[in-house]
Amino acid sequence: MYDSVTTWRLYSAEQSIRLGQPLTDVTAARGLVRRVERSAWWRDNVAYDVRVGVRLGGCEADGWVSSFARPGGLGQSTSWTISLHPSMLNDMIVFHELAHCIAPRWQHSGRPRRSGELSNHIRCSAHGPGFAAASAELAGQFGTVEHHDELRVAYHHFQVPVLAWEEYLAAVQGSLLAERDIVEMHREVDELFSSQPSTRSGSVPQWTWGDRLRSVRGSAGTGPRRGMSREHLAQLVSRVERCSPRDVQRLEAAAHLPEDPRLRRLGMCMAVALGFDPIYARFQLGLARWDCDVELDELAAINPEWVQLVETMNAQLAARPPRWAVDGDR
């Protein structure tokens, strides 16, 4: 499932080209992975010992069929498992999942973590520039059909950021340094808690639907006085739908997406006013303008940059539609 515009761009690019070489079964998929792992390219470009297993599986949820790659943990020597859905046995899917196994996972903060400190390294996007570089390189090095070359063209069309290969190699080295710090931090924390008797019990509070709106409002803007008041947010939303600070408070207190059509409309306008990633708003919050009775041109009164982004994405998708819309194979 999409979680951001970054992921949408990459998946849209990959879905706009034809599927790769079919693989007869999971044994053939394992053979392809072994061929890549035993290649001179792998020895020259993969900076650490990555052991990759392949099995049939994948997942099906909410109408989505997907494959995935799962790490065995942090650290310089890492094992991964690629789980392929039976309907996705082809080399392009294998390259996509294999790219997860070698993509940088952390952005190093610039200095080693001191003992006793919390790590401040930043987690890389799962489908960010480092991943795109790995995926494009694997397809180019090991693809067996000519349209693999279309992948970089599709990435460019959908404005997918792709690291140059030298940048990718540097990013992997930074990721490994960060992982070492993080592993050591976890070891220190485990030792600290194992040496102290537990005196408290409880549970981690659940993150609700409204919490996401409140959190983004609290961090909106720049400068020392960050955050947007409920009054100001209500004024922005009122350009489309009459809204009061009490309405904002009510939506921020909602445990789930409201059933009330007016509150959904207000929620959509709030998300746009706060500059929510439109893909995140749709798939994680359930806020799609057509479900909330909000027209795109209305939202321009609140956040014209948000509307321009959506219009650009719509135009990109129309120019390079997903393969199943063209071939009718799904």
Side-chain angles (χ1 to χ4, degrees), residues 210-287:
D211 285 338
R212 291 169 169 81
L213 296 175
R214 178 179 51 77
S215 175
V216 173
R217 180 177 63 80
S219 60
T222 58
R225 298 185 63 183
R226 296 185 66 184
M228 182 187 297
S229 68
R230 289 193 179 104
E231 290 75 13
H232 182 49
L233 180 55
Q235 290 173 2
L236 291 175
V237 172
S238 293
R239 295 175 182 177
V240 172
E241 179 77 14
R242 184 176 178 181
C243 181
S244 69
R246 187 180 182 87
D247 289 324
V248 174
Q249 184 177 23
R250 183 179 177 186
L251 281 163
E252 290 181 346
H256 308 285
L257 176 66
E259 296 290 340
D260 186 325
R262 178 176 176 274
L263 288 179
R264 287 191 178 216
R265 181 173 165 87
L266 288 178
M268 183 76 239
C269 293
M270 282 175 59
V272 173
L274 292 169
F276 264 79
D277 182 308
I279 295 297
Y280 182 91
R282 176 180 175 186
F283 289 104
Q284 309 303 320
L285 293 178
L287 291 172

Side-chain angles (χ1 to χ4, degrees), residues 136-175:
E137 189 71 9
L138 285 166
Q141 291 287 334
F142 303 101
T144 56
V145 290
E146 62 180 10
H147 68 262
H148 283 130
D149 294 337
E150 295 180 22
L151 184 59
R152 285 191 179 273
V153 174
Y155 278 173
H156 178 75
H157 174 80
F158 283 98
Q159 299 175 305
V160 176
V162 184
L163 292 183
W165 195 243
E166 295 75 14
E167 295 173 323
Y168 163 82
L169 294 174
V172 170
Q173 291 297 335
S175 180

